[in-house]
Amino acid sequence: MKNETAEHSCPLTKAMANIGNKWKPIIVCVMHERNLRFGEIAARIPVISRKVLTDQLKEMELDGLLTRQEFKEIPPRVEYGLTEKGKALLPILKLLQEWETKFINQVSVV
Amino acid sequence: MKNETAEHSCPLTKAMANIGNKWKPIIVCVMHERNLRFGEIAARIPVISRKVLTDQLKEMELDGLLTRQEFKEIPPRVEYGLTEKGKALLPILKLLQEWETKFINQVSVV
DNA sequence: TTCATTGGTTACCTCCTGGTTACTATTAGT
DNA sequence: ACTAATAGTAACCAGGAGGTAACCAATGAA
């Protein structure tokens, strides 16, 4: 979610600019226990395209949510890991999941 | 954030489909203490356009986040209020704000 | 008769997001 | 000589999200 006004606006807007999109919360979640290689992330989220995954990982690195470590090997190996900022998001995302699960049927059915 | 796969996917994806956009978290926040009329919400979020606000409120009503009560008066009066589901979001959004504030400077500066 | 008020609606437009597909580099293994 | 493996890129595209501006209905007040 691009947001030109994010810089001079409330923390909530900035937070949503960081993780308020389709894939980023999921990427954070799948990395909860250990660093993962690019291919491992892709395997855990099979429905995401490689291009979009690359884009998201780049943005998240810039936003300080995760680190990227490139090993100079052939075939290439790249490992991604959560930063402290990224890790701090985990309990919040867990709450969000619980919230969704709790109120799963409380929508107006049209 | 429209999401065709939301129905058969993880709660997190569904949660983000509910509130993962530019305005909805803010709308929830400004309604934290009491019901508000359309114009009051608009006044609390001056940068949102009327059309977008209307759209968001409609979607949030459908998603069970808030209620809409129309009084048959002239000029019209419409009051919006958080549902239990919407209220349950408040502490989570508060955590998100705190998270953002805490890590506010921890981004890679390019 | 005209205006102000409220809560919208309608038509239209732009740009971003996410998506597909094909392509790349480099080395080891057969 | 050819293939497999990894982590991407590049070119291109459709659709949706958010935005602007003008308009509307109903009534009381001036």
Side-chain angles (χ1 to χ4, degrees), chain A residues 37 39 50 54 58 68 75-76 80:
Chain A
R37 300 179 59 170
R50 299 179 85 68
T54 312
K58 266 184 201 156
R68 179 183 185 277
Y80 293 90

Side-chain angles (χ1 to χ4, degrees), chain B residues 89-103:
Chain B
L89 215 44
L90 286 170
I92 302 177
L93 294 179
K94 188 147 175 280
L95 285 176
L96 259 183
Q97 291 189 46
E98 290 166 3
W99 171 81
E100 176 61 39
T101 305
K102 179 173 179 187
F103 293 99

Side-chain angles (χ1 to χ4, degrees), chain B residues 37 39 50 54 58 68 75-76 80:
Chain B
R37 299 178 61 170
R50 298 178 87 69
T54 313
K58 267 184 201 157
R68 177 182 186 278
Y80 293 91

